[in-house]
């Protein structure tokens, strides 16, 4: 347990320092909402986990460092036609997919490579990520795949952030949510394929449920910003799975639409409107503008 105690001490000092520093810097790492919200403090627990955990240190470190580039420099354009943040986060997801595929097999690799997408969306609302990660972790307990040391380090490193998150006064940011979600996945499953699928399903459903039932912001976004009247729970699920800039970019290549499609009652219940609708991320706004 000495690793968990050390993780708690290091993360407490680092998380509080990061929250103060990002508030003082007052740039992309600070959001002037909810009384002021430091964004990107998750880099600290993610790095602490990578330093002390016996499981998944490499993908956690990769996602933390490249994700933090997204937090700090995300909206700067590149010559490739994508923003710096999209490029760095995409590279981190591909590297995680490759590393986990090589070590644990294709199913776990694909799940770990995709998990940063729902993690990023769930992190946009207070307490949702903490709730989703806790539910996903517990869902894997019956499988007997968890590494107790890695889980102890993960939650000890997360504890200072959770204290801030319960008051809605911090965000993990891309430097934290992706790294810590994948860290939770590997700590709870040790790369087991069935466990990886269970973790992804539980994380997605729990995050969507919390955002749909416990916070008004998602419903307001779906109704006021996207024009989806009377959104269903599955609209919330598809928002988690396909929302944000990455989801909008993929939709621009497939069946994405900028207007709410007409559909029948069953399609509404299954979330068809949010599945195909391009949102209002930075990419979505450009697509909507033509």
């Amino acid at each position: 347990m000495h690793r968990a105690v050390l993780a708690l001490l290091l993360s407490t000092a680092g998380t509080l320092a990061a929250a103060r520093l990002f508030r003082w810097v007052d740039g992309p790492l600070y959001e002037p909402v909810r009384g002021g919200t430091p964004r990107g403090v998750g880099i600290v627990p993610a790095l602490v986990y990578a330093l002390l955990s016996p499981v998944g240190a490499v993908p956690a470190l990769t996602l933390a460092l490249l994700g933090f580039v997204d937090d700090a420099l995300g909206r700067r354009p590149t010559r490739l036609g994508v923003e710096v943040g999209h490029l760095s986060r995409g590279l981190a997801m591909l590297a995680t997919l490759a590393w986990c595929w090589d070590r644990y097999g294709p199913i776990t690799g694909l799940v770990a490579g995709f998990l940063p997408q729902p993690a990023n969306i769930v992190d946009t609302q207070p307490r949702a990520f903490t709730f989703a990660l806790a539910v996903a972790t517990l869902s894997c307990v019956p499988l007997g795949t968890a590494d107790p040391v890695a889980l102890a380090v993960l939650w000890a490193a997360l504890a200072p952030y959770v204290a801030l998150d319960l008051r809605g006064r911090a965000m993990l940011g891309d430097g934290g949510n992706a790294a810590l979600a994948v860290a939770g996945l590997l700590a709870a499953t040790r790369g087991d394929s069935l466990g990886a699928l269970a973790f992804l399903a539980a994380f997605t459903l729990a995050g969507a449920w919390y955002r749909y039932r416990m916070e008004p912001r998602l419903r307001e976004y779906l109704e006021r910003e996207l024009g989806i009247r009377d959104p269903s729970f599955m609209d919330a699920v598809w928002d988690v799975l396909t929302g944000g800039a990455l989801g909008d970019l993929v939709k621009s290549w497939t069946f994405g639409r900028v207007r709410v499609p007409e559909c029948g009652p069953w399609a509404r219940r299954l979330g068809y409107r949010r599945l195909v609708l391009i949102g209002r991320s930075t990419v979505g706004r450009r697509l909507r503008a033509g």
Side-chain angles (χ1 to χ4, degrees):
M1 292 301 292
H2 67 281
R3 292 195 193 193
V5 173
L6 183 57
L8 178 61
L9 294 175
L10 290 175
S11 187
T12 298
T15 300
L16 295 178
R20 282 184 173 273
L21 175 63
F22 297 163
R23 184 184 295 269
W24 177 73
V25 171
D26 193 23
L29 296 173
Y30 181 75
E31 297 284 346
V33 296
R34 300 195 297 271
T37 306
R39 175 177 174 269
V41 296
I43 183 70
V44 174
L47 292 179
V48 169
Y49 179 88
L51 175 67
L52 297 174
S53 175
V55 176
V58 172
L61 180 63
T62 302
L63 289 163
L65 294 179
L66 291 179
F68 192 71
V69 172
D70 191 3
D71 290 327
L73 304 174
R75 295 187 178 180
R76 296 188 182 184
T78 68
R79 294 181 179 180
L80 299 176
V82 296
E83 296 171 356
V84 170
H86 302 156
L87 182 61
S88 64
R89 191 156 67 97
L91 289 174
M93 292 169 73
L94 289 174
T96 298
L97 187 156
W99 190 91
C100 291
W101 185 308
D102 179 67
R103 191 176 183 98
Y104 301 117
I107 294 178
T108 300
L110 290 170
V111 170
F114 176 72
L115 187 58
Q117 162 63 23
N120 184 52
I121 302 302
V122 170
D123 185 39
T124 59
Q125 289 183 229
R127 298 169 288 276
F129 183 93
T130 298
F131 178 79
L133 185 63
V135 170
T137 300
L138 291 174
S139 72
C140 294
V141 170
L143 300 176
T145 57
D147 185 303
V149 175
L151 279 180
V153 170
L154 173 66
W155 284 101
L158 260 175
Y161 167 77
V162 171
L164 295 173
D165 185 40
L166 291 176
R167 295 183 293 159
R169 298 300 297 273
M171 290 179 65
L172 290 171
D174 292 292
N177 57 52
L180 292 166
V182 171
L185 166 72
L186 298 179
T189 68
R190 281 185 281 201
D192 178 75
S193 298
L194 178 60
L197 292 172
F199 187 98
L200 175 62
F203 184 93
T204 299
L205 293 174
W209 181 87
Y210 193 93
R211 298 179 72 225
Y212 183 73
R213 291 292 185 187
M214 304 302 292
E215 300 280 353
R217 191 171 295 109
L218 175 61
R219 184 177 290 272
E220 292 173 358
Y221 170 72
L222 294 175
E223 290 184 332
R224 297 180 186 179
E225 297 294 325
L226 299 187
I228 298 176
R229 296 179 58 187
D230 191 22
S232 69
F233 171 67
M234 285 304 298
D235 285 311
V237 172
W238 289 119
D239 187 79
V240 168
L241 290 174
T242 70
L246 181 60
D248 286 340
L249 185 62
V250 172
K251 287 180 185 182
S252 71
W253 303 333
T254 55
F255 45 63
R257 301 180 58 165
V258 296
R259 291 185 176 83
V260 179
E262 294 293 333
C263 58
W266 274 106
R268 287 172 176 259
R269 293 189 187 100
L270 293 174
Y272 174 74
R273 293 173 295 177
R274 184 63 185 105
L275 171 62
V276 302
L277 191 64
I278 290 172
R280 292 191 177 274
S281 66
T282 53
V283 171
R285 285 195 291 270
R286 290 202 303 269
L287 294 171
R288 285 169 175 269

